[in-house]
Amino acid sequence: MQMMRGLHTPVRAIRRRVFKEVAELGFKADADTLLADMEAIPYAIVNEDAEKYRESVYRARAIVRERLRLAMGLSLRPENKPVHLTAGVEARNISEKYYDPPLMQVVPSACESCEENKYEVSNICKGCLAHPCQEVCPRDAISMVNGRSYIDQDKCIKCGKCKSVCPYDAIAKKERPCQKACGVNAIKSDKVGRAYIDPEKCVSCGMCMVSCPFGAISDKSQIFQLARALSEGENIIAEIAPAFVGQFGDNITPRNIKAALRELGFSEVYEVALGADIGAVAEAHHYVEKVVTGELPFLLTSCCPSWAVMAKKFFPDLIDQISQELTPMVATARTIKQKHPDAKVVFIGPCAAKKLEASRRSVRSDVDFVITFEELQAMFDAKEIDLTEYEAESSFHDATGAGRGYGCAGGVAEAIEKCINEYYPDVQVNIEHAEGLAECKKILTLAKAGKMNGCLIEGMGCPGGCIAGAGTNIPLPKAKKNLAAFVKNSSKSIPAKELEEITGRTYSRIHVVGGGSNAGYLNELTAKATGKEVHAGPGEATAIGNITAQMLKAGDFKSVEEARTTIHESFGIKIHK
């Protein structure tokens, strides 16, 4: 079932067409015709000349209408009262991020009410003499009817023993695909048997969405609002996740993507792997300083929002073990905002759950929009941009293979392990990783029971990691191969030793007492405290690191530790240990 991810099915074709139409609405940015244009889209997509996806064009249009609302960032309409298709659109006709929870929703009219869990004998049954299925059934639920095995559903306990012994594989296990893909048991049934997502359990990984063969589940999008912002000529900067490799075509290079994004309206393009590099260094120190010393029993990575949210929801006792380091998305965004304070930052990646992360109170000012690779391709389609026809003079910033490897399951832990081996060669690193929420729950259960002490534990909500996220365009095996080549061809394998010496111990774990949490504030304090003018980099921690480096170079301090201590005392900064 998981192999359906990344395939170009009719479900994906419909999603992409809807996204394309919505992007065109945003780029057009005509408030006078917006409502009429929106009402015309279902008829443009579903008509007598178009490919038939449903048994009825009327049902197909009804489903497209709800998909259209979700793509505009709106919620589904209620089934128990009349609400117009365009209701609420005026409030969303803005060039800023808009999010109306929940992120994931089931379109009721599209759901086929699949059976949840049932074993059924198919016509392959030979009615064999041995009938092992009948012999192993613990509830006598199987009998012979018209020469074939028959399962009494009232007696069946769904143990699966009959299926496991059938020599002809004649017994099928029927289960709801979306429910099978959900690792947190968030998929329930409504009163008429249609799928329903429990928002209290859902962590928005999107695996249910990509596993539904009827396309009945969809997430909300921000492409309309982003297209509006781009059309208005705002200063908008893209940060793109390392999983982008191969997502837009076999021969599409970083230079092609960079140029195409600029054609779309972005002023600059940054590589999120830069933030991953910083995070790998910080996590390495965190592990050595907290876990190796015994202060923490183990350390959980925090890069994957679905994994982190699941840990907080289902294992609240482990919150203190979740890393507090900035995720690559946020670290990169803050770097951009420090250099371009008036710019809007757009995260482009494979992950649906990043939309939730960007809506958190502590992050919403850093990341202005989040779109997936799938949504970006639709935006290229809307502007008729052929990536093969565009090529920038330079590629992305030169991140390391370690940071770029974050996109694959196990890559985060591997990057941190490499950093620890380089910076602390005498420290033994114990690595564990899990992919897919079901496996993540298992490893967290073991950790809670004390079976993972001393470990650095990486969790990825999507089986395969980011390259298999809900917003990707290509199958997992192909994405994995492409990313491995991208990592291998990186000019550097891990972040430089200088980054460890300058910023490692302070990154993301400092608190500025008395307000002010940016480099500009620290620059001002430095001038007041030392009488020297320095230019600090982005973020509090990197600012401290840059100030330290510059003052060491000037000979003001004899060692890094002396510099840090003096600067921290001057600024009134406490390092949380």
Side-chain angles (χ1 to χ4, degrees), residues 103-164:
L103 180 64
M104 295 286 167
Q105 287 192 282
V106 179
V107 179
S109 55
C111 182
E112 291 293 320
S113 302
C114 301
E115 294 163 300
E116 291 191 47
N117 190 7
K118 179 181 180 181
Y119 285 90
E120 189 172 83
V121 180
S122 71
N123 58 5
I124 300 176
C125 178
K126 299 291 187 180
C128 64
L129 181 62
H131 45 73
C133 57
Q134 189 172 353
E135 300 302 325
V136 300
C137 181
R139 293 299 177 90
D140 294 325
I142 300 180
S143 59
M144 301 300 291
V145 177
N146 297 325
R148 291 181 179 175
S149 295
Y150 170 79
I151 301 175
D152 185 337
Q153 298 298 327
D154 292 331
K155 292 181 179 180
C156 178
I157 58 172
K158 283 78 176 176
C159 66
K161 290 183 177 180
C162 57
K163 177 176 176 62
S164 67

Side-chain angles (χ1 to χ4, degrees), residues 37-56:
D37 290 342
M38 186 176 174
E39 290 177 356
I41 290 175
Y43 294 89
I45 296 177
V46 182
N47 53 65
E48 295 298 331
D49 298 325
E51 183 176 352
K52 302 297 187 296
Y53 294 117
R54 303 279 178 176
E55 73 284 356
S56 165

Side-chain angles (χ1 to χ4, degrees), residues 192-230:
V192 293
R194 296 173 302 194
Y196 166 76
I197 300 175
D198 183 349
E200 297 302 315
K201 291 184 177 181
C202 179
V203 296
S204 301
C205 68
M207 288 298 99
C208 59
M209 177 175 71
V210 296
S211 298
C212 176
F214 287 96
I217 304 175
S218 189
D219 58 339
K220 294 187 175 77
S221 176
Q222 299 166 9
I223 54 176
F224 175 75
Q225 290 78 17
L226 173 57
R228 275 287 313 272
L230 289 168

Side-chain angles (χ1 to χ4, degrees), residues 138-288:
R139 293 299 177 90
D140 294 325
I142 300 180
S143 59
M144 301 300 291
V145 177
N146 297 325
R148 291 181 179 175
S149 295
Y150 170 79
I151 301 175
D152 185 337
Q153 298 298 327
D154 292 331
K155 292 181 179 180
C156 178
I157 58 172
K158 283 78 176 176
C159 66
K161 290 183 177 180
C162 57
K163 177 176 176 62
S164 67
V165 298
C166 177
Y168 298 103
D169 195 23
I171 299 177
K173 182 183 181 181
K174 292 185 174 182
E175 54 187 331
R176 180 170 276 167
C178 58
Q179 193 172 51
K180 182 179 180 181
C182 180
V184 293
N185 195 30
I187 306 292
K188 308 297 181 182
S189 291
D190 65 13
K191 59 185 179 182
V192 293
R194 296 173 302 194
Y196 166 76
I197 300 175
D198 183 349
E200 297 302 315
K201 291 184 177 181
C202 179
V203 296
S204 301
C205 68
M207 288 298 99
C208 59
M209 177 175 71
V210 296
S211 298
C212 176
F214 287 96
I217 304 175
S218 189
D219 58 339
K220 294 187 175 77
S221 176
Q222 299 166 9
I223 54 176
F224 175 75
Q225 290 78 17
L226 173 57
R228 275 287 313 272
L230 289 168
S231 69
E232 293 171 3
E234 296 187 39
N235 183 19
I236 303 177
I237 297 174
E239 54 165 335
I240 190 165
F244 76 87
V245 190
Q247 295 291 331
F248 302 96
D250 292 336
N251 300 313
I252 299 302
T253 68
R255 290 189 177 192
N256 295 134
I257 294 174
K258 185 176 182 179
L261 285 169
R262 285 179 170 172
E263 180 67 18
L264 202 58
F266 290 95
S267 57
E268 288 193 47
V269 183
Y270 282 72
E271 192 176 0
V272 174
L274 289 170
D277 282 338
I278 298 172
V281 174
E283 296 279 20
H285 290 296
H286 201 169
Y287 176 81
V288 173

Side-chain angles (χ1 to χ4, degrees), residues 380-391:
F380 285 144
D381 294 343
K383 297 291 282 186
E384 298 183 348
I385 294 175
D386 181 351
L387 276 72
T388 62
E389 297 179 359
Y390 296 88
E391 186 171 5

